[in-house]
Amino acid sequence: MIQCPKCKSDSVYTKNTARKIAGKIGTAAGAIGGAKASYTGVQIGMKVGVIAGPGGPVIGGISGAIIGALLGAATGGTTGAAVGKTIDEKVLDNYLCNSCGYEFSTCA
């Protein structure tokens, strides 16, 4: 349990500012990268969709693009959050005491 070094209170809040910001940036970047990389998914989806009939290639292509963007967003968000967590822990004063308002880090 983390205690405030100033007032010794146990009522400490973790801000996670960098984790939140980096996670959002990573999600956006991952979605854009995933959408660009989904061109292969579109091609595969269209080929597989031919089996389903006339509308199959369109539906398969759209599905491939959506899946590529979602996978990219998930990967980017996870990576961004991990980078942000490291910044929170090593660089920023990530903790806020709810009792006295003191901001501090656990790093010495």
Side-chain angles (χ1 to χ4, degrees):
M1 177 165 279
I2 297 175
Q3 233 181 15
C4 175
K6 186 174 180 183
C7 73
K8 306 300 181 206
S9 171
D10 291 335
S11 181
V12 175
Y13 171 73
T14 306
K15 297 186 299 184
N16 291 331
T17 304
R19 185 176 184 176
K20 292 172 188 172
I21 293 171
K24 289 176 185 175
I25 292 170
T27 299
I32 291 168
K36 285 182 178 180
S38 69
Y39 178 70
T40 302
V42 170
Q43 290 178 322
I44 293 169
M46 289 180 75
K47 289 177 184 172
V48 171
V50 169
I51 298 168
V58 173
I59 293 169
I62 292 170
S63 299
I66 291 171
I67 289 170
L70 289 174
L71 289 174
T75 303
T78 302
T79 303
V83 169
K85 181 180 177 186
T86 301
I87 293 169
D88 281 332
E89 291 174 353
K90 306 290 182 191
V91 179
L92 301 177
D93 289 338
N94 195 38
Y95 298 98
L96 173 66
C97 178
N98 290 323
S99 297
C100 71
Y102 183 66
E103 295 182 6
F104 62 97
S105 173
T106 57
C107 294

